[in-house]
Amino acid sequence: MRWQRALLVLLKERKDHSIALAIDTSNRPERPMLIQNIVKLFEKLRPDTLLVQADFKIRDVSPVGVATIQYFKHGKSSYTEVLEWAAAQKIDTLFYITDVTGYFYEELEVNYEVFWLVPDDYMPRVPFGKPIRVA
């Protein structure tokens, strides 16, 4: 329950920020209901959130309450396009649901907050930003 409380606090503290929620769709997660519950939380607290579905490229960007999540089975994930999209859209805070096994261009400059929502028991080291284990 600690991660839910932490996520609630983060969303409330950023009520005046532009935020986006990205989902790594390169593999079907072990806990799809967990992902769905996170999406519902964003929908309830921040209905203006854009949901970005991406694997090695952005597959869909839509309002959080409208999107249908589609997963792929190839296992390839790149964060570069989503991170560039967030910068171009002037997103203040990006929440990214992923196992943090993807890659990104190291020259990429990220000038906004990133929270990695990791739905696994294993917490890998994140390249920047703050990890939150949501398992």
Side-chain angles (χ1 to χ4, degrees), residues 41-85:
L41 177 67
F42 275 79
E43 181 182 352
K44 184 172 179 121
L45 294 177
R46 289 294 305 264
D48 59 330
T49 300
L50 288 176
L51 180 67
V52 182
Q53 297 181 60
D55 45 29
F56 59 87
K57 66 179 183 175
I58 292 176
R59 300 284 184 166
D60 183 61
V61 177
S62 54
V64 73
V66 177
T68 300
I69 302 170
Q70 181 180 1
Y71 295 100
F72 299 88
K73 295 182 181 183
H74 50 70
K76 296 178 184 175
S77 181
S78 170
Y79 305 127
T80 301
E81 199 170 322
V82 173
L83 295 170
E84 290 174 337
W85 172 88

Side-chain angles (χ1 to χ4, degrees), residues 24 26-27 75-79 98-103 116 120 122 124-125:
D24 176 358
S26 62
N27 277 317
K76 296 178 184 175
S77 181
S78 170
Y79 305 127
T98 180
D99 58 7
V100 196
T101 58
Y103 63 90
W116 304 93
D120 290 324
Y122 172 72
R125 195 171 143 225

Side-chain angles (χ1 to χ4, degrees), residues 3 7 11 19-25 29 31-53 62-71 95-97 117 134:
W3 68 265
L7 197 51
L11 289 171
I19 64 168
L21 175 63
I23 298 179
D24 176 358
T25 58
R31 300 175 179 133
M33 283 305 297
L34 173 65
I35 307 300
Q36 208 52 41
N37 287 337
I38 293 170
V39 171
K40 286 179 185 175
L41 177 67
F42 275 79
E43 181 182 352
K44 184 172 179 121
L45 294 177
R46 289 294 305 264
D48 59 330
T49 300
L50 288 176
L51 180 67
V52 182
Q53 297 181 60
S62 54
V64 73
V66 177
T68 300
I69 302 170
Q70 181 180 1
Y71 295 100
F95 294 88
Y96 211 130
I97 302 172
L117 305 179
V134 293

